[in-house]
Amino acid sequence: MTSDIFFFIAVGFCAQIVDGALGMAFGVLSTTSLLAFGVPAANASAMTHVTEMFTTAASGLSHAYHRNVHWRLVARLAPAGMIGGAIGAYLLANIDGKVIEPFVSGYLIVIGLLILYKAFRPQARREVRDWAVPPVGFCGGLLDAIGGGGWGAVVTSTLVGRGHDLKRVIGSTNFTEFAVTLTVSITFMVTLGWSELNSAIGLIIGGVVGAPFGAILVKRLPVRALMAAVSLVIITTSTIRFF
């Protein structure tokens, strides 16, 4: 049992550093690792969402401290993401999320390739008034709840692909994710009930400890390197979901 909690701490720590630095992939990486460890799919998804309530709070505060958050962007993303997340969590109680997963993965691979292409080309900066922000937030929340992860991958990749400032998008996406994850988790608790939360403690510890390191990396790493890393994470994690 002791070795299990250290495994969960390591998974949470590594997944949160990647998520905090790139604005995505905590849910995908942690759920995939738990499944590989033999945790049942339902429990892995439940543990991931409960953990994200803590890790996204820690990560969001870290990004706010390092001034990576664009508050007007948060104000436009959060309400739409929370509505989409609540709807997605409710639908998941009645529909198998695996049905739409290949379509989501295909979309993310295309976005990843687009970001990789744009990483080496000068970008025209878009304003936070971009009309696509609320719809992207809604879709991100919906797909995150139905697919067991993907808020950062959908929102960060799409907004960066549309030309928004990478570092501000990553910080704002991480900050907003707490509200979305909280909404999704509460909806799951109401519709499905809750059990076996003890195993999430290791993930929570590792994720909270790893959160500040991700925010520091965002502030110090060059933008092109971050964009290339974002694209590779998206393509790799999305491709894995096909198998």
Side-chain angles (χ1 to χ4, degrees):
M1 194 67 174
T2 303
S3 61
D4 287 356
I5 193 169
F6 282 121
F7 170 80
F8 293 139
I9 290 174
V11 169
F13 181 80
C14 295
Q16 185 55 42
I17 285 182
V18 173
D19 188 273
L22 303 182
M24 65 190 70
F26 181 89
V28 174
L29 293 176
S30 60
T31 300
T32 300
S33 299
L34 293 175
L35 291 174
F37 189 69
V39 177
N43 289 355
S45 178
M47 289 168 60
T48 296
H49 277 92
V50 169
T51 302
E52 285 186 319
M53 288 194 296
F54 295 86
T55 59
T56 54
S59 181
L61 290 174
S62 295
H63 279 291
Y65 176 79
H66 290 285
R67 299 182 180 179
N68 297 327
V69 177
H70 193 308
W71 297 108
R72 289 176 59 197
L73 183 58
V74 169
R76 300 194 69 205
L77 273 178
M82 293 168 69
I83 293 171
I87 293 174
Y90 179 79
L91 291 176
L92 189 59
N94 302 286
I95 300 175
D96 185 2
K98 293 292 183 180
V99 174
I100 66 169
E101 189 171 300
F103 299 98
V104 177
S105 297
Y107 164 77
L108 293 176
I109 289 173
V110 172
I111 292 296
L113 292 171
L114 177 63
I115 293 176
L116 185 61
Y117 169 73
K118 290 191 173 186
F120 302 100
R121 293 178 60 86
Q123 296 297 306
R125 186 68 52 82
R126 285 182 185 264
E127 296 295 330
V128 72
R129 292 190 300 272
D130 182 7
W131 66 269
V133 171
V136 168
F138 176 84
C139 292
L142 183 73
L143 296 174
D144 180 79
I146 292 177
W151 163 261
V154 172
V155 176
T156 301
S157 60
T158 302
L159 294 183
V160 172
R162 287 182 60 79
H164 288 271
D165 180 74
L166 176 67
K167 295 185 179 182
R168 289 297 185 90
V169 167
I170 290 176
S172 301
T173 299
N174 270 266
F175 190 89
T176 307
E177 190 173 9
F178 168 72
V180 176
T181 301
L182 180 62
T183 302
V184 170
S185 298
I186 291 175
T187 305
F188 274 131
M189 291 179 192
V190 172
T191 56
L192 300 177
W194 202 257
S195 63
E196 298 191 29
L197 298 181
N198 291 337
S199 298
I201 294 176
L203 287 178
I204 293 169
I205 293 173
V208 171
V209 172
F213 295 97
I216 293 172
L217 288 176
V218 167
K219 192 173 183 180
R220 297 188 177 183
L221 290 178
V223 172
R224 286 187 174 181
L226 276 175
M227 290 185 71
V230 165
S231 68
L232 292 177
V233 168
I234 295 171
I235 294 169
T236 301
T237 55
S238 299
T239 301
I240 290 174
R241 286 192 168 197
F242 277 110
F243 302 100

